[in-house]
Amino acid sequence: MNVKLKKTFDFAAGMVYQKKFLINLYSIELKMVTATSDPNEQNIAYERIRYWIDSVLNDGVLIADDSELITAYRETEQRLITLPTEPVDQVIGFVLFSKFNAITESRLIITDIEISSIHGDSMIYAHNEN
């Protein structure tokens, strides 16, 4: 049986945007569907998402992979999360949608993600597979 789930996560991360370092607060809402009847497999998939948010995104620094400042930030030993462009909410939403679907290994399917942030004026960006 497939079960629909919805969960909101909040995290804080630094970001390098237009050569400035900013602290940003993010909120993401995930809509998911279970894709296995094994509750242990569902829990493992969910815990992978939680781990990635809590241990990778939270307190990390989001930066474009072609930023001229990336070398300087690497020297700080701060955890960097590189993105294909500057860290704007819309791009972060695309990246997280793909990442979460990859790490859940088809045990949970992320059908929709909504992301907003303080520096994004709390505008909500909604993404799905389309």
Side-chain angles (χ1 to χ4, degrees):
M1 170 175 26
N2 294 347
V3 177
K4 292 182 180 181
L5 306 167
K6 182 167 68 170
K7 173 71 175 156
T8 300
F9 298 91
D10 298 310
F11 65 94
M15 60 186 274
V16 179
Y17 181 72
Q18 296 182 346
K19 299 183 183 180
K20 295 179 184 172
F21 178 78
L22 306 166
I23 301 295
N24 207 356
L25 301 174
Y26 296 89
S27 181
I28 57 174
E29 181 180 275
L30 299 180
K31 291 182 181 174
M32 304 166 275
V33 176
T34 60
T36 175
S37 58
D38 183 346
N40 290 328
E41 294 293 325
Q42 295 169 10
N43 289 338
I44 289 168
Y46 173 74
E47 288 300 324
R48 287 178 181 176
I49 293 170
R50 280 193 37 183
Y51 175 86
W52 218 84
I53 292 169
D54 293 342
S55 299
V56 176
L57 291 173
N58 200 41
D59 297 330
V61 175
L62 301 157
I63 188 168
D65 60 8
D66 63 352
S67 171
E68 61 190 51
L69 300 173
I70 200 163
T71 301
Y73 277 94
R74 282 194 174 121
E75 291 176 7
T76 68
E77 298 184 18
Q78 178 64 42
R79 185 175 51 261
L80 297 182
I81 300 104
T82 59
L83 300 167
T85 67
E86 287 204 302
V88 294
D89 293 355
Q90 185 172 10
V91 170
I92 296 167
F94 288 139
V95 169
L96 294 180
F97 181 83
S98 295
K99 182 64 177 179
F100 293 154
N101 272 309
I103 64 175
T104 57
E105 297 180 328
S106 299
R107 293 175 177 103
L108 278 180
I109 307 297
I110 311 307
T111 59
D112 296 87
I113 184 171
E114 292 184 353
I115 184 168
S116 64
S117 74
I118 299 300
H119 284 291
D121 197 27
S122 298
M123 179 71 67
I124 298 170
Y125 293 89
H127 304 287
N128 58 37
E129 63 188 36
N130 298 324

